[in-house]
Amino acid sequence: QVQLVESGGGLVQPGGSLRLSCAASGSFFSINNMGWYRQAPGKERELVAIISRGGSTNYADSVKGRFTISRDNAKNTVYLQMNSLKPEDTAVYYCNAQIVRATITTTWGQGTQVTVSS
């Protein structure tokens, strides 16, 4: 069984910063793409950022220049550094990973709440 465990969410004022972490545990060969998604109340889940095993990244237009995704392959961990946070960034943030075992499966974390409010 593979698990993704997220941490780092919380309450922050507009303009502030947070760093999310997501660590994969269990038995697997490797991890391909890892990413962060978010879902605000009443809205669909949307992609925030994604990073390949080699470090190539893509970002949603709404977070470009403010958020940075990175990963540590040795620790099977992906990070999301969020700066200049806005109230519209408020959402539950989910980690996602393509886990390579006998087949490649997509695994989700349990989600962590990020609230941007004064």
Side-chain angles (χ1 to χ4, degrees):
Q1 188 78 3
V2 178
Q3 284 189 319
L4 298 179
V5 179
E6 298 137 339
S7 61
L11 173 65
V12 63
Q13 293 186 342
S17 298
L18 281 175
R19 189 191 194 209
L20 305 182
S21 299
C22 172
S25 63
S27 179
F28 50 86
F29 295 127
S30 64
I31 304 175
N32 287 346
N33 289 347
M34 302 185 81
W36 289 95
Y37 291 71
R38 66 186 181 187
Q39 188 166 18
K43 295 188 177 181
E44 293 187 353
R45 190 173 298 188
E46 63 176 0
L47 174 68
V48 175
I50 191 167
I51 185 168
S52 71
R53 183 169 180 80
S56 297
T57 58
N58 276 296
Y59 295 91
D61 287 343
S62 59
V63 306
K64 282 181 181 177
R66 299 188 298 122
F67 291 10
T68 302
I69 189 171
S70 61
R71 65 190 285 175
D72 184 333
N73 291 331
K75 295 181 179 180
N76 297 313
T77 300
V78 63
Y79 306 96
L80 186 68
Q81 178 66 44
M82 305 184 292
N83 299 328
S84 302
L85 282 160
K86 305 175 181 180
E88 50 264 44
D89 295 317
T90 296
V92 178
Y93 283 70
Y94 296 91
C95 172
N96 168 285
Q98 294 179 335
I99 304 296
V100 181
R101 296 191 289 178
T103 58
I104 299 175
T105 58
T106 298
T107 300
W108 291 89
Q110 80 285 357
T112 185
Q113 177 70 46
V114 172
T115 302
V116 185
S117 175
S118 55

